[in-house]
Amino acid sequence: MKRIDSLISLVQSLSKSEKKAVMTRLVGDECRTRNFLVIYEIISETPRIKSGQVKNLFLARCPNGSYEVSVQYLYRRLTDTLLALRRGKDIYHDLLNDICKARMMYDRSLFLECFETLGETIERARRFEYHEVANIAMKLELEYLLRLDFQGLTEKELYHKHFVLNESIKKMRKITEQSFLHNLLKFRLSHYGSIRTARQRQDMNDLMINELYISSSAEAQGEFELMRNHKLFQANFLMGTGDYQAALNVFRELNQLFESNRHLWFNPPIYYLSVLEGVLDSLRSMGKYSEMPYFMDRLRALIDMSDSPEFRVNAICLLFQNELFPYLDHGDFSECMRIMERYRDILYDKEASLTPIRKSELLLYTALIYIGRRDYTAARRQILKAMIDHNIRYLPLMRTIRLVRLIAYYETQEHESIHRESQSILRGLSSGRERTFRTERFVLRFLRRNNLPVMPGERKALWNSMMTEVAELHGDIYEQQLLRIFDFTAWVESKILRMPLSDVMHRNASARSLL
């Protein structure tokens, strides 16, 4: 990505409070020229601006200005300002900042203050279980003690410091080994699906035994990160073996683990939010909608306890999505509209405070609701806004957004746009740079058909010829990454058979719940 594209994404992701802080710092900059402010204003004033447009507008206002230099300077000042705003809000950032402060103190011969700062940093890092930060601080402390010939330190104290450091390194090694096993489990489940063969079962059992050995060791007892990773591993393993009820019980235990370790929550509790998001996403993929309210109540409690406006609106967006999913997945678009209206004031009117990814998700699901309601003009407007951030092109969500945009073009009969977008997608699929989804090719083949049969019998025969491929798509764990967000095959069926999309989605969802 070009630096200007990154800069556009950065500026347009700023919250109101961040914009105020950024402008205060930029205006106060003692710089020979103010050309960087022109670029900031251009990007801020135009929501869907392209990099080429920024350059043209800049050169029109500042004919003698250096565009590249101004972009680089503004990018650096923005990132520095956003980093400074994290002070006091991000414990990890504060701990690393304290280590840098201790290094500065040592260089200035403020040895007593240096060791006091390092001691406090080590204590805080261990309390919040940031072992890697504690290790850096302990190693730095020992290095400075060595340079000062261990003044005021006994041999017993030196031995104890090295003992504590070694124990911390051992703990980090266990956490790393356990994280690898959890990542390997997730990789296999997402790429190969649930266990089907004896070989797959043996491989999964080997993973489980190794993970149990780590989590049951004496050092693991009482260690939050190890216990958290163990619960996540258990839940995903049980889902992979099809024991959904046991997986749900483990998810509840995981939630209790967080509830009993509130001192490890951050303000705002971003990591706990991500865990709840993962649990709710897993329940949706299992079709266990009746189990979602328990975890949504935990999410509401997080929203109520937070005093960060940005965190609250992003958590509200997650709550909205999970309240929506049971109805969206079953094609109940009327109820979806009622939910949207309830969230109009607390979410849609505060859309500017959402992160780029969360905003794209909100616009995507809003567009899907409008498609279900046959308000295709509104759907097109929403899905085009979802493409505003350049960074989402790297996310799996982008694949869904591209297909929904094609559907919006199809429904509004923008045939040139369909051809142009289809060609762009096909070029990406044929490049071989990334694994492609068969669902994408399935939808593209339908969209590129010149015409559909007129007679109902011929339409039925056409759909029957596709049913084998559709069944294979829904049975493929890889394809389900797209289909669980939106059932594109249901939309194709509704177009071919001239049936309401809501009826097709409701029938398909009901059939899956019986499996």
Side-chain angles (χ1 to χ4, degrees):
M1 179 184 289
K2 296 179 181 179
R3 181 51 52 87
I4 181 60
D5 290 333
S6 300
L7 183 61
I8 291 172
S9 297
L10 197 59
V11 172
Q12 294 182 342
S13 68
L14 296 175
S15 65
K16 291 182 179 179
S17 59
E18 289 172 340
K19 288 179 180 178
K20 183 177 180 181
V22 165
M23 279 304 299
T24 301
R25 289 180 178 243
L26 291 181
V27 172
D29 270 1
E30 295 182 1
C31 189
R32 189 166 57 86
T33 67
R34 296 285 175 161
N35 293 339
F36 62 91
L37 276 175
V38 175
I39 295 179
Y40 179 79
E41 291 170 0
I42 290 172
I43 297 173
S44 299
E45 293 168 358
T46 313
R48 298 181 60 191
I49 196 165
K50 304 292 184 183
S51 56
Q53 294 174 306
V54 175
K55 185 173 183 178
N56 293 336
L57 290 171
F58 173 82
L59 293 176
R61 296 192 195 183
C62 308
N64 299 320
S66 176
Y67 176 71
E68 294 296 337
V69 171
S70 299
V71 167
Q72 294 289 342
Y73 182 81
L74 177 58
Y75 182 82
R76 187 170 66 253
R77 293 298 293 138
L78 272 177
T79 52
D80 289 345
T81 301
L82 292 175
L83 192 61
L85 291 175
R86 296 179 73 90
R87 191 171 299 142
K89 299 179 181 179
D90 186 334
I91 296 173
Y92 193 84
H93 170 273
D94 291 345
L95 291 172
L96 292 176
N97 192 55
D98 287 341
I99 290 176
C100 294
K101 190 185 299 181
R103 292 172 64 94
M104 179 272 294
M105 290 175 176
Y106 182 87
D107 293 339
R108 304 274 178 174
S109 299
L110 300 173
F111 303 127
L112 181 60
E113 290 82 358
C114 170
F115 288 119
E116 285 180 353
T117 301
L118 285 175
E120 292 172 359
T121 303
I122 293 168
E123 182 181 349
R124 289 187 70 202
R126 293 175 64 185
R127 183 167 72 249
F128 289 102
E129 298 191 10
Y130 279 125
H131 303 293
E132 64 276 17
V133 179
N135 290 350
I136 294 172
M138 285 189 283
K139 289 177 67 177
L140 191 62
E141 182 186 43
L142 288 167
E143 179 184 339
Y144 288 162
L145 287 169
L146 173 63
R147 294 182 190 177
L148 298 174
D149 293 330
F150 304 107
Q151 289 292 327
L153 192 71
T154 66
E155 182 176 336
K156 183 177 181 180
E157 290 171 334
L158 178 61
Y159 177 84
H160 178 71
K161 287 182 180 296
H162 274 282
F163 173 80
V164 173
L165 177 58
N166 285 330
E167 290 301 306
S168 181
I169 292 173
K170 289 179 184 178
K171 193 172 293 183
M172 276 294 300
R173 185 180 299 116
K174 287 187 175 293
I175 292 172
T176 303
E177 291 172 354
Q178 189 189 46
S179 296
F180 165 68
L181 295 174
H182 180 234
N183 292 341
L184 188 57
L185 173 71
K186 289 286 288 183
F187 180 88
R188 289 178 179 176
L189 289 176
S190 62
H191 285 74
Y192 309 132
S194 301
I195 299 172
R196 296 186 180 91
T197 67
R199 177 61 184 272
Q200 286 179 326
R201 185 173 297 279
Q202 182 61 48
D203 290 342
M204 295 287 267
N205 286 338
D206 290 343
L207 280 182
M208 181 185 66
I209 292 171
N210 290 331
E211 198 278 333
L212 282 174
Y213 173 76
I214 294 173
S215 61
S216 62
S217 61
E219 292 85 357
Q221 301 304 317
E223 182 66 32
F224 173 78
E225 190 168 0
L226 283 168
M227 294 168 65
R228 181 200 67 204
N229 290 346
H230 175 59
K231 297 297 182 186
L232 286 171
F233 183 95
Q234 279 188 316
N236 285 286
F237 179 86
L238 291 167
M239 286 177 60
T241 58
D243 195 345
Y244 297 128
Q245 187 57 50
L248 177 61
N249 293 335
V250 175
F251 279 137
R252 289 178 180 271
E253 293 174 6
L254 177 64
N255 181 73
Q256 290 300 321
L257 177 65
F258 269 90
E259 292 287 351
S260 59
N261 287 274
R262 285 175 172 258
H263 65 287
L264 297 177
W265 293 13
F266 309 128
N267 187 20
I270 295 173
Y271 192 83
Y272 188 20
L273 177 69
S274 68
V275 170
L276 288 175
E277 181 178 6
V279 172
L280 288 166
D281 183 65
S282 298
L283 291 174
R284 183 194 181 192
S285 65
M286 291 187 291
K288 301 289 185 179
Y289 302 107
S290 61
E291 304 293 346
M292 293 174 68
Y294 173 83
F295 297 98
M296 290 170 66
D297 287 342
R298 308 282 79 74
L299 180 55
R300 291 187 182 93
L302 281 188
I303 295 170
D304 292 339
M305 67 172 286
S306 175
D307 55 2
S308 168
E310 289 79 15
F311 175 83
R312 285 175 59 86
V313 71
N314 281 278
I316 287 172
C317 185
L318 180 60
L319 182 65
F320 162 75
Q321 291 177 24
N322 284 280
E323 190 172 339
L324 193 73
F325 290 152
Y327 302 101
L328 180 63
D329 294 347
H330 285 80
D332 190 347
F333 298 108
S334 297
E335 184 60 31
C336 289
M337 288 296 295
R338 283 190 281 270
I339 294 173
M340 281 176 56
E341 287 303 316
R342 284 199 288 107
Y343 280 85
R344 185 71 60 187
D345 295 336
I346 60 176
L347 177 58
Y348 283 90
D349 290 349
K350 300 179 180 179
E351 185 182 291
S353 298
L354 294 171
T355 63
I357 296 174
R358 198 66 77 192
K359 184 176 181 179
S360 295
E361 291 174 346
L362 176 64
L363 295 170
L364 168 63
Y365 290 119
T366 303
L368 290 174
I369 294 170
Y370 282 128
I371 287 174
R373 296 287 292 175
R374 299 182 181 180
D375 189 348
Y376 302 122
T377 302
R380 178 186 178 279
R381 185 168 58 250
Q382 295 295 322
I383 202 62
L384 288 179
K385 286 169 32 179
M387 308 287 288
I388 189 172
D389 193 270
H390 299 283
N391 288 317
I392 66 169
R393 72 180 65 173
Y394 301 106
L395 298 175
L397 182 70
M398 179 63 177
R399 317 290 284 265
T400 306
I401 290 175
R402 290 191 308 183
L403 290 181
V404 173
R405 183 168 64 173
L406 275 172
I407 289 175
Y409 286 149
Y410 180 89
E411 298 290 10
T412 53
Q413 299 182 359
E414 298 180 51
H415 303 294
E416 290 186 8
S417 297
I418 292 175
H419 177 74
R420 184 176 61 253
E421 184 69 15
S422 298
Q423 291 299 112
S424 175
I425 293 176
L426 286 171
R427 282 194 299 270
L429 295 179
S430 61
S431 65
R433 290 192 299 269
E434 57 185 10
R435 183 176 173 182
T436 63
F437 286 90
R438 292 165 58 198
T439 302
E440 290 176 297
R441 296 186 182 277
F442 175 81
V443 174
L444 287 174
R445 283 200 307 273
F446 171 76
L447 292 173
R448 296 172 72 189
R449 293 182 66 93
N450 294 326
N451 50 60
L452 291 173
V454 177
M455 301 302 293
E458 294 176 343
R459 287 175 174 265
K460 181 68 175 177
L462 174 61
W463 176 247
N464 288 340
S465 69
M466 298 179 175
M467 289 182 65
T468 300
E469 183 181 4
V470 169
E472 291 175 353
L473 292 176
H474 282 278
D476 189 324
I477 189 69
Y478 187 75
E479 298 299 322
Q480 289 174 16
Q481 297 177 61
L482 274 182
L483 293 173
R484 70 184 181 84
I485 297 177
F486 179 67
D487 189 352
F488 291 99
T489 64
W491 177 80
V492 172
E493 181 182 357
S494 71
K495 294 291 107 178
I496 294 176
L497 300 182
R498 293 177 175 171
M499 295 175 59
L501 177 60
S502 57
D503 292 350
V504 178
M505 292 185 67
H506 179 74
R507 185 201 65 210
N508 291 352
S510 299
R512 285 194 297 271
S513 66
L514 297 176
L515 296 178

